[in-house]
Amino acid sequence: MSHLTDIKDIEQLAALARIELEASEKETIKGELESILSYIDVIQGAVKDSSIDVISTDSSVNSHPTNILREDVVQNEGGTYSEKLVHAAPDKQDQYIKVKKILGGSQ
């Protein structure tokens, strides 16, 4: 199945993404998107042809829903590793790690 057959489709996507593309980039992206969308078609076809029920409606399967998430429990006391981490840092001040300022101008 052909999805993006025209460079105008790529140009429209670029406009929506607010990016500018060179002609060579448009060709490259067109090919990459075609490849991705073709692979999605293969996956969708495999799911359609499969005898496996992806979303089970069998009540015996979902009769006892369980929470698969663990409880949010503190595993370590606060500060257990803080001293080791600060000690290992290349630049520190008191009990804090100093990092290079990246927002709001230079230091």
Side-chain angles (χ1 to χ4, degrees):
M1 173 185 277
S2 182
H3 298 279
L4 298 172
T5 57
D6 195 348
I7 292 297
K8 289 184 181 184
D9 294 327
I10 301 300
E11 290 170 346
Q12 184 179 7
L13 287 173
L16 290 170
R18 296 183 178 144
I19 58 174
E20 292 183 19
L21 299 172
E22 299 291 327
S24 62
E25 293 173 314
K26 292 175 189 176
E27 286 295 331
T28 301
I29 290 173
K30 179 179 180 248
E32 290 172 351
L33 285 175
E34 280 289 337
S35 176
I36 291 167
L37 294 173
S38 294
Y39 187 66
I40 291 171
D41 283 343
V42 170
I43 293 170
Q44 287 176 336
V47 170
K48 288 177 186 174
D49 296 340
S50 174
S51 62
I52 299 171
D53 186 10
V54 177
I55 302 174
S56 178
T57 56
D58 182 5
S59 63
S60 65
V61 174
N62 296 321
S63 62
H64 302 289
T66 58
N67 184 357
I68 60 170
L69 302 175
R70 66 172 172 77
E71 290 291 322
D72 192 11
V73 178
V74 175
Q75 299 291 324
N76 302 307
E77 289 294 318
T80 303
Y81 301 106
S82 300
E83 188 175 311
K84 290 180 183 178
L85 289 171
V86 171
H87 181 70
D91 195 9
K92 53 195 158 280
Q93 180 178 352
D94 301 324
Q95 75 263 19
Y96 299 102
I97 298 172
K98 289 179 73 175
V99 295
K100 183 173 135 182
K101 185 176 183 177
I102 58 170
L103 299 174
S106 62
Q107 210 167 320

